[in-house]
Amino acid sequence: MKMDPRTLLDAALKVFAREGLEGASLRAIAREAGCDPSLIYYHFENKEAMFAALLEERIPPLVADLRHLANPLDPRSTAEKLWTAMQLFHTHLHDSAGFRSMVRGQIVRGVETLPELLAKKLLPANLAMQAIVRRGLRRGELRPGLHPLLVIMFLLRMEAEILDLVPVFAQRAVGMPPERALPLAERTWFEVFWRGVATRPLDPLPFLPDPELP
Amino acid sequence: MKMDPRTLLDAALKVFAREGLEGASLRAIAREAGCDPSLIYYHFENKEAMFAALLEERIPPLVADLRHLANPLDPRSTAEKLWTAMQLFHTHLHDSAGFRSMVRGQIVRGVETLPELLAKKLLPANLAMQAIVRRGLRRGELRPGLHPLLVIMFLLRMEAEILDLVPVFAQRAVGMPPERALPLAERTWFEVFWRGVATRPLDPLPFLPDPELP
DNA sequence: TCCATAATTCAACAAGCGTTGAAAAAGGAT
DNA sequence: ATCCTTTTTCAACGCTTGTTGAATTATGGA
């Protein structure tokens, strides 16, 4: 019947997103894919290798897009670049709740093998983000004195938080379906963030999408 | 030798903070307390009951303080109230990394018995925070149109994030010992947040502590 | 000192985990 | 059909987990 490794990865992604890296059991992944757990070991070295494969699909394209964005010749404003960076994280990682929770959880817990690999892979993304922020500081678009790392942490951690929590909270708390609440939360967050870090917080942000869209 | 349940709770707190609710094993807690795992069942009904006991110690005082703060007769500005609210979460929950990760993790995962109890306990805290935000909106201190729940989520989730991540990142990324990096990050975050949500973002915030303190 | 009760440990359970080696099934070429 | 190789399943190992009932030790009052 020849199982496509793709199917296994898709199943794994589903389970990782629900349960996180440690919470996702091979048996659950196998159940999701409709096969025996041991079959996974025929196609992948082990569970972490599956996760690494999923990251490998997502991180390089994200890094490439971020590098493009950080190019100083790109004439867009720092505001628009940061907004776009946030959207890039959304489009590349929105289905990787397992990834997000792991990055966060494992960083707090200590250094193991996977986060180290992860840190290496994500370093270029971090550098690209820093380049954008430093350029914004030099050009006077960002308030002087802000620590670039804190700026990046604020923007991206909250975006991850929104991706995780808003779909759950939306219906019961805001009374909105997630597909409307998510763009609203992201837009609101970026406005708050940008006013917070900008030298001229009251300048309009014409690149933001219309919040009144149906 | 009569083991004080207090000692068990302290040991549990340590392990919960390191490993989270699911990651913390009874055997690890028992090791930390220097006793047999089964002894825990003599003093507590089960693991979740231990966790609930820890919450029981912390949430009511937090709620009481927040209620005081939300009192409309308290003449302080909305900015100072929100800053104080953030500090209250810090002082009451800074040692409860397990609590923070659980609230976040379990909310995403779905509703089980403990989070439901938790939601009930935290509802008054949520209402007090909402009261502060709505009062700020009425008085024109907060930008009109902001969703109160998003405002609260932004402020407190990032505070939790800072408590979790800054102690880890401080040394290696910002080059500071945590005891200096943490106040800096909190202060910076609140400035960003307040400029983001305030009607007059450029007004000074005289109640903030001096960032240049030794 | 004896004894009832409280406090603690021991040993084991069932369940779930990641993983493995061998057995079974399926597929393709001759 | 046969043979070889690729793919899949079965059964099990060793480990950790939460939990429990019985056995053991400590404690305090008569």
Side-chain angles (χ1 to χ4, degrees):
Chain A
M1 311 172 180
K2 213 176 238 177
M3 162 81 74
D4 187 355
R6 180 72 269 142
T7 313
L8 287 176
L9 282 180
D10 291 340
L13 178 60
K14 267 193 183 175
V15 184
F16 282 140
R18 275 204 312 269
E19 314 284 350
L21 174 61
E22 312 211 329
S25 78
L26 283 175
R27 288 166 169 85
I29 296 174
R31 207 179 311 123
E32 181 77 38
C35 71
D36 190 271
S38 7
L39 181 56
I40 294 175
Y41 285 87
Y42 182 77
H43 292 281
F44 299 91
E45 195 184 345
N46 53 29
K47 189 167 81 159
E48 297 208 341
M50 279 197 103
F51 200 88
L54 281 169
L55 295 184
E56 202 63 38
E57 296 183 326
R58 283 163 178 71
I59 294 188
L62 168 66
V63 167
D65 285 356
L66 280 177
R67 281 208 161 119
H68 253 99
L69 194 64
N71 184 344
L73 298 180
D74 185 327
R76 284 177 286 181
S77 69
T78 300
E80 188 167 0
K81 286 196 177 193
L82 288 178
W83 166 256
T84 309
M86 189 176 115
Q87 294 301 106
L88 285 179
F89 271 83
H90 180 143
T91 57
H92 283 99
L93 301 176
H94 74 100
D95 59 354
S96 292
F99 163 77
R100 295 194 296 273
S101 84
M102 199 211 59
V103 173
R104 201 177 151 289
Q106 302 276 15
I107 279 176
V108 174
R109 201 149 311 166
V111 182
E112 303 175 24
T113 81
L114 194 54
E116 209 153 344
L117 179 150
L118 197 62
K120 278 216 179 68
K121 289 242 160 261
L122 278 178
L123 184 63
N126 188 13
L127 292 178
M129 291 295 300
Q130 285 204 38
I132 296 175
V133 171
R134 290 187 201 283
R135 176 171 168 276
L137 285 166
R138 276 199 311 276
R139 300 164 123 224
E141 295 173 84
L142 292 172
R143 283 160 49 208
L146 283 176
H147 197 299
L149 245 64
L150 286 179
V151 172
I152 297 170
M153 169 180 163
F154 290 161
L155 178 63
L156 296 185
R157 276 309 314 166
M158 188 61 78
E159 167 67 11
E161 202 64 28
I162 288 172
L163 288 175
D164 280 342
L165 291 186
V166 166
V168 182
F169 272 130
Q171 199 67 265
R172 94 164 86 161
V174 197
M176 267 188 199
E179 62 271 20
R180 281 181 29 96
L182 204 62
L184 173 69
E186 285 178 325
R187 201 203 130 99
T188 306
W189 163 237
F190 188 80
E191 278 176 345
V192 168
F193 165 81
W194 178 252
R195 288 173 60 111
V197 299
T199 310
R200 294 191 304 280
L202 302 176
D203 286 3
L205 303 173
F207 52 85
L208 286 187
D210 188 350
E212 299 302 334
L213 230 70
Chain B
M1 308 172 180
K2 212 175 244 180
M3 162 81 72
D4 188 355
R6 181 73 268 142
T7 313
L8 287 177
L9 282 180
D10 291 340
L13 177 60
K14 267 193 183 175
V15 183
F16 282 139
R18 274 205 311 269
E19 315 283 350
L21 173 62
E22 313 212 327
S25 79
L26 283 175
R27 287 166 170 85
I29 296 174
R31 207 179 312 124
E32 181 77 39
C35 71
D36 190 271
S38 5
L39 180 57
I40 294 175
Y41 285 88
Y42 182 77
H43 292 281
F44 299 91
E45 195 184 344
N46 53 29
K47 190 167 80 159
E48 298 208 342
M50 279 196 103
F51 200 87
L54 282 169
L55 295 184
E56 202 63 37
E57 297 183 324
R58 282 163 178 70
I59 294 187
L62 168 66
V63 168
D65 286 356
L66 281 177
R67 280 207 160 120
H68 253 99
L69 193 64
N71 185 346
L73 297 181
D74 184 327
R76 282 176 286 179
S77 69
T78 300
E80 186 167 1
K81 286 196 177 194
L82 288 178
W83 165 257
T84 309
M86 189 176 116
Q87 294 301 107
L88 285 179
F89 271 83
H90 180 140
T91 57
H92 284 98
L93 301 177
H94 74 99
D95 58 355
S96 292
F99 163 77
R100 296 193 296 273
S101 84
M102 199 211 60
V103 173
R104 202 178 152 287
Q106 302 276 16
I107 280 176
V108 174
R109 201 150 310 167
V111 182
E112 301 175 24
T113 81
L114 194 54
E116 210 153 343
L117 179 149
L118 197 62
K120 278 216 180 67
K121 289 243 160 261
L122 279 177
L123 184 63
N126 188 14
L127 293 179
M129 291 295 299
Q130 286 204 38
I132 296 175
V133 170
R134 289 188 202 283
R135 177 170 167 277
L137 286 165
R138 278 199 309 277
R139 300 165 124 223
E141 296 172 84
L142 292 172
R143 285 160 47 207
L146 283 176
H147 197 299
L149 245 62
L150 286 179
V151 172
I152 297 170
M153 170 181 162
F154 290 160
L155 178 62
L156 296 185
R157 274 310 315 167
M158 187 60 78
E159 167 67 12
E161 202 63 29
I162 288 172
L163 287 176
D164 280 343
L165 291 186
V166 166
V168 182
F169 273 129
Q171 199 65 265
R172 93 165 86 160
V174 198
M176 268 187 200
E179 63 271 18
R180 280 179 31 96
L182 204 62
L184 171 70
E186 285 179 324
R187 199 204 132 98
T188 305
W189 163 238
F190 188 79
E191 278 176 345
V192 167
F193 165 80
W194 179 252
R195 288 173 58 110
V197 298
T199 310
R200 293 191 306 281
L202 301 178
D203 285 3
L205 303 173
F207 51 84
L208 286 188
D210 189 350
E212 299 303 335
L213 230 69

